Amino acid sequence: MQILKNPKLYDVCIVGSGAGGGMAAKVLTEAGANAVMLEAGPMYDSAKDSAMFAWNYDSPRRGAGTVDRPFGEWDAGYGGWTIPGEPYTVARGERFDWYRARMLGGRTNHWGRVSLRFGPIDFKGRSHDGLGEDWPISYDDIKPYYDKIDRLIGIFGTNEGIYNEPDGIFLPPPRPRCHELMVMKGCKKMGIPCVSSRISVLTRPLNGRPACHYCAQCGKGCSTHSNFSTPSVLLPPALATGRLKIITGAMAREVLTDENGLATGVSYVNVEDGREYQIRARIVVLGASACETARLLLNSKSSRFPSGLANSSDQIGRNLVDSIASGATGFFPQLMDGVPHNEDGIELGHIYIPWWLDNKKLDFPRGYHIQIRGGRRMPGFRFMEGIERYNGGGGYGAKLKEDYRRYYGAFIGFGCCGEMIPNPDSYCEIDPSVVDQWGIPVLRFHFKFSEYEYKQGEHMQDTVREIIMALGGTPVTPRPPRESISGGGRINHEVGTTRMGDDPRSSVLNEFCQAHDSKNLFVVDGGSFTSEAHKNPTWTILALAMRTSEYIA
């Protein structure tokens, strides 16, 4: 097949347009670099393409998800765990569900925007409990970049002085709602900290973007750019320099190299015409997501790199982790027959519970945080399910309406997000016999939780049920079996597949996310993580990408 070569030599080729790729584009173009960005999905602009004011009843499926929009008819999440023509495989008897975003901005368009900093202990976990590996950087190394993105992007919260839950440069948080005030009061009596959430939604105008107007439709894409996404915040200033070219529908096949092992560009398939193209660049920056970047590097084989580019350590694809999750919903009779009132706010909870316990007194390492969700939201499946489980209610006609009015707002969900320890049984590799519709070899996943994760999941269940009952509620979700904790791709926090480290024999990247084996190759997605704290990874991806990009510049 003829390969079409672009004669232009760019300073930088960036693969992926999510948090890491978007930050790299902004920093590098503003530093003077001519950059080209490859995105496998289509263009997306939330000002024109979002459906934030569409009602579910406007949809022929009443808002239900589709194959290419699994989170809902109107959600700003193009892609999914199953994409026609783009398979992946999983080892027999195991489970991993790989979500791929296929749109400009990737997952930043529809994530929850919980924006927590990793803390001093998170970067040095092995030094504290002997498990996993320490990062080659400390919190002090990354703190200036957290501060910069706080100021650039905007995040609300409150400074609490909790050592491993670092404070930030916060906008004022929205006020807690009725059910949240009840939770905060009850947790205080239990000695459990319950503080303002830290979420990248503007509560004050910032850098030309208006404050949130509290329509609570964040997942549909914000047409006013009041919440964070790459197309709203990072790509406009990069494009304004005149030095960024974005190529959509570009499925990266491999990173090209010369005889010295240096990257010379990227080969990609145009998903519209099926033809292969080559981009030439002095520097290659990969931000395709942890697993997609691992796939790209493992497929970039040559005589110098027979097992994949930058893989002399045999660590690409290994150390794969995802957050673990469990939780429960409670019914609270004191919230029944609620009076309609103003519940202005963002889509997610205004409060959360940071990790507060001493692991020396527990039978598992690390920890988790708890997100709270409730209020008089638009009734949906979970609301109706809660009614049926509690009193066998529901039905039709007048009885249905009566139950809705009585129970509306009387259910609160408590969802835990915890840390997984890397293990040798969780990794991804190239499947030897399966390719996608463009002939590119696909990933095969191996994934297992250890006893640490199962014990943490049990503790999550014990804790949230204790909180529900201490607040005067009744758990309405059955206690799940210990093996059913969520993770393995379902939480969309997978990281670690190209981890950083000081030793080239046991890591892929150095402290600046630069490949040990190829000095002009960098990774700016979650693959660089040495561990995944219980915190959502996006804020750390952004901070690392800014640090790496300044280093490149």
Side-chain angles (χ1 to χ4, degrees):
M1 180 178 68
Q2 180 186 11
I3 298 176
L4 304 177
K5 299 181 180 180
N6 188 325
K8 181 172 181 177
L9 176 64
Y10 291 91
D11 292 320
V12 184
C13 177
I14 302 168
V15 180
S17 62
M23 181 62 77
K26 179 184 185 300
V27 174
L28 291 170
T29 56
E30 290 182 339
N34 288 308
V36 59
M37 172 180 282
L38 304 181
E39 165 55 49
M43 295 294 287
Y44 180 79
D45 179 355
S46 60
K48 299 182 296 185
D49 302 325
S50 75
M52 64 188 300
F53 296 122
W55 292 95
N56 286 343
Y57 53 69
D58 293 329
S59 157
R61 284 168 290 278
R62 294 295 189 266
T66 60
V67 172
D68 60 341
R69 279 186 163 182
F71 296 107
E73 175 84 15
W74 306 126
D75 192 88
Y78 305 167
W81 287 278
T82 301
I83 302 178
E86 295 188 46
Y88 59 90
T89 63
V90 181
R92 181 175 297 178
E94 299 181 20
R95 179 176 179 179
F96 191 88
D97 301 292
W98 185 24
Y99 181 87
R100 277 82 42 86
R102 291 291 180 260
M103 62 193 302
L104 188 72
R107 302 183 194 183
T108 67
N109 293 295
H110 69 106
W111 64 304
R113 297 174 178 84
V114 175
S115 305
L116 305 175
R117 298 185 180 200
F118 283 23
I121 295 174
D122 299 323
F123 288 100
K124 302 296 177 183
R126 184 177 180 84
S127 296
H128 283 266
D129 58 26
L131 299 172
E133 298 291 340
D134 285 343
W135 291 57
I137 60 174
S138 68
Y139 175 72
D140 289 338
D141 292 319
I142 202 69
K143 179 183 182 300
Y145 299 94
Y146 281 135
D147 290 348
K148 287 181 181 180
I149 63 172
D150 283 0
R151 294 188 179 100
L152 169 67
I153 295 173
I155 175 177
F156 70 71
T158 52
N159 290 314
E160 302 291 339
I162 303 173
Y163 176 68
N164 201 45
E165 310 289 331
D167 293 327
I169 302 169
F170 295 129
L171 299 171
R175 296 176 60 186
R177 292 165 284 210
C178 180
H179 70 282
E180 292 165 334
L181 291 169
M182 187 187 81
V183 172
M184 293 177 76
K185 182 178 179 181
C187 284
K188 184 176 181 179
K189 291 181 179 179
M190 300 175 69
I192 297 174
C194 190
V195 301
S196 166
S197 295
R198 297 167 175 185
I199 295 178
S200 48
V201 173
L202 300 186
T203 57
R204 297 284 188 274
L206 181 71
N207 297 331
R209 296 159 52 218
C212 175
H213 53 275
Y214 295 152
C215 73
Q217 303 292 330
C218 299
K220 294 180 178 180
C222 182
S223 65
T224 62
H225 306 308
S226 302
N227 62 25
F228 170 71
S229 70
T230 292
S232 289
V233 182
L234 301 179
L235 295 184
L239 290 167
T241 67
R243 290 186 286 269
L244 175 64
K245 177 180 177 61
I246 299 175
I247 303 176
T248 55
M251 181 65 64
R253 177 188 290 277
E254 67 175 310
V255 178
L256 306 171
T257 56
D258 62 17
E259 64 277 5
N260 298 314
L262 293 176
T264 60
V266 177
S267 169
Y268 71 91
V269 176
N270 182 306
V271 300
E272 296 297 326
D273 63 23
R275 303 176 73 180
E276 185 171 343
Y277 297 77
Q278 289 184 356
I279 291 287
R280 299 169 61 230
R282 295 168 56 210
I283 294 171
V284 172
V285 176
L286 303 181
S289 81
C291 296
E292 197 73 76
T293 287
R295 178 194 181 198
L296 182 56
L297 291 173
L298 291 172
N299 277 327
S300 301
K301 297 180 179 181
S302 64
S303 58
R304 187 180 182 93
F305 300 109
S307 61
L309 176 57
N311 197 28
S312 64
S313 63
D314 191 36
Q315 290 299 302
I316 292 181
R318 302 194 182 279
N319 312 298
L320 173 63
V321 295
D322 189 14
S323 296
I324 65 173
S326 192
T329 297
F331 164 70
F332 296 88
Q334 61 268 49
L335 296 177
M336 288 179 65
D337 300 307
V339 177
H341 60 280
N342 187 349
E343 282 200 321
D344 273 358
I346 63 166
E347 184 175 25
L348 294 182
H350 293 179
I351 59 171
Y352 89 112
I353 297 172
W355 180 240
W356 70 101
L357 295 173
D358 182 357
N359 288 103
K360 294 178 181 178
K361 301 177 181 179
L362 302 171
D363 61 355
F364 62 90
R366 314 294 167 93
Y368 56 88
H369 71 266
I370 306 176
Q371 298 177 24
I372 293 98
R373 191 159 185 165
R376 296 171 61 84
R377 301 173 57 83
M378 177 63 69
F381 171 74
R382 293 184 182 278
F383 170 74
M384 293 182 285
E385 184 182 44
I387 291 178
E388 292 173 1
R389 283 182 172 160
Y390 185 72
N391 77 335
Y396 301 91
K399 180 64 167 61
L400 177 65
K401 293 179 181 180
E402 179 185 348
D403 280 346
Y404 267 34
R405 293 187 181 101
R406 294 193 68 206
Y407 292 101
Y408 192 23
F411 298 89
I412 304 175
F414 297 81
C416 305
C417 179
E419 177 171 357
M420 175 186 174
I421 305 298
N423 68 68
D425 295 319
S426 296
Y427 61 96
C428 58
E429 61 184 353
I430 297 299
D431 189 293
S433 58
V434 181
V435 298
D436 66 16
Q437 63 180 315
W438 301 287
I440 305 173
V442 308
L443 284 181
R444 176 170 62 191
F445 289 93
H446 303 256
F447 197 84
K448 292 182 180 178
F449 285 134
S450 72
E451 194 65 18
Y452 294 140
E453 286 75 54
Y454 290 125
K455 288 181 177 179
Q456 187 177 158
E458 288 286 285
H459 192 274
M460 291 173 175
Q461 283 293 320
D462 291 341
T463 300
V464 296
R465 291 170 187 278
E466 180 182 354
I467 291 173
I468 289 170
M469 291 185 286
L471 296 179
T474 301
V476 297
T477 46
R479 187 183 183 106
R482 70 193 296 268
E483 292 79 11
S484 69
I485 55 172
S486 294
R490 299 307 299 186
I491 312 303
N492 297 347
H493 291 173
E494 63 273 9
V495 299
T497 53
T498 55
R499 73 178 180 189
M500 65 168 71
D502 290 325
D503 188 350
R505 296 170 297 179
S506 59
S507 60
V508 180
L509 311 170
N510 68 14
E511 65 171 295
F512 291 103
C513 301
Q514 179 183 31
H516 291 301
D517 298 347
S518 187
K519 299 303 181 182
N520 65 340
L521 174 67
F522 297 81
V523 175
V524 292
D525 54 38
S528 68
F529 284 35
T530 305
S531 63
E532 160 68 320
H534 68 76
K535 293 125 181 183
N536 310 51
T538 305
W539 224 237
T540 301
I541 292 174
L542 288 162
L544 289 172
M546 179 181 282
R547 183 174 186 265
T548 294
S549 300
E550 290 187 3
Y551 175 77
I552 293 171

